[in-house]
Amino acid sequence: MASSDVARQPDQGVRPLSLAGHVGFDSLPDQLVNKSIYQGFCFNILCIGETGIGKSTLMDTLFNTNFENFESSHFEPQVKLRAQTYDLQESNVRLRLTVVNTVGFGDQMNKQESYQPVVDYIDRQFESYLQEELKIKRSLHNYHDSRVHACLYFISPSGHSLKSLDLVTMKKLDSKVNIIPVIAKADTISKSELHKFKIKIMSELVSNGVQIYQFPLDDETVAKVNTTMNGHLPFAVVGSTEEVCIGNKMVKARQYPWGVVQVENESHCDFVKLREMLICVNMEDLREQTHTRHYELYRRCKLEEMGFKDTDPECKPVSLQETYEAKRQEFLMELQKREDEMRQMFVQRVKEKEAELKEAERELQSRFEQLKRLHADEKAALEEKKRLFDEDQSSFNNRRTATQFLQAQSLTANGKKDKDRKNSGFM
């Protein structure tokens, strides 16, 4: 181990030494195994596919158990992701398995409404892990890792080509999760059609730049089988939890009027290949790829958005403290700038308000002067009318007095005439 390290890093001045006897660090792999078995493992699978395509049945078949399943309809208003976590144990190995199902996927007219909730869910799990990682007091050793390690993308067995929704969704997800495409219900098309369909699918994925998960070839112990299995992608699978008697033994199969499709018969479907590659051979690589590739990409982008960088413009290393101080100064400057802008905006608004008030005051004063003039004019008109009225009244009174005087004289004259007439009668 030390020799290989020196071969990889000859410029660090590390020299190999031989041991005179047994030391004991050759038990490190055993210690790691024992510790891993004690802590247990976690594995999270995301199942993407249309409603009724067989996602739940395949999960039950893969892990040889009956998970809690819920009936779904084609009339969901939006895509919902339902995550269910189970504790499984095989021999002395404990596995915490999370199965995430996409309810209502593909039932929306807008394709973005189908894939966006899936993208958001994956990002939320990355963000939760990042927040835990950035805490001052971290507890990653007992943190439940909810990041998606594998995405089984269920392709409808149309026999023609991928749907546009499939291409759009996988393109959006290939940088966030390990995508393993599977052809669901592969017993509904013939072998020749299935072979052509596989070639067509891989051709469309390559032409559209979709990066699916490739089984690793760096480990010599599994390189050969992984190379072979990479050529079988996408896996054509059939799921069933029902057992049928074949010969003198019971096997998982699907019973049809024309015959029986055995789930674990490799000449019937690729279920065994999928199980071997997903669980038995490459589960740890899927977990590792999720952390070292997809999560690191998310983490790097997030930290760059926050302004953290490893090097300055001159490509010199920058410490976290320097980055923090630079961001702090930048934040304070931005805060001061915004404060000045707000102060200027406040002063400007005060001036504008004062101008509005002065203008309103001028308008009110002008209106007041106008009303005052109108009042004066109306008062003068009323006084003139009053003067004329008084003159008319005085003239009327004079005429009335004269009339009354004339009437009094007339009455007096008439009285004298009557008296004279009476006196002349007596005589």
Side-chain angles (χ1 to χ4, degrees), residues 48-51 53 79 102 104-119 153-156 161-173 179 204-205 208 210:
I48 302 179
E50 300 172 358
T51 304
I53 204 169
V79 178
T102 53
F105 181 82
D107 294 335
Q108 288 70 34
M109 294 296 293
N110 187 349
K111 295 178 178 59
Q112 185 174 0
E113 293 180 358
S114 289
Y115 73 77
Q116 194 58 48
V118 182
V119 174
Y153 195 94
F154 289 73
I155 300 171
S156 179
S161 62
L162 288 171
K163 298 178 181 179
S164 58
L165 174 61
D166 298 331
L167 289 172
V168 170
T169 304
M170 282 193 275
K171 185 63 179 175
K172 291 291 183 180
L173 297 179
I179 300 176
E204 289 182 342
L205 292 176
N208 286 277
V210 178

Side-chain angles (χ1 to χ4, degrees), residues 42-43 145 147 149 178 213 216 218 282-296:
C42 75
F43 192 66
D145 187 3
R147 296 173 296 176
H149 301 122
N178 302 308
Y213 175 72
D218 51 353
N282 297 301
M283 180 180 282
E284 182 57 33
D285 183 74
L286 287 164
R287 286 156 40 92
E288 183 180 343
Q289 285 292 317
T290 299
H291 183 76
T292 59
R293 180 187 171 194
H294 302 299
Y295 171 69
E296 283 298 321

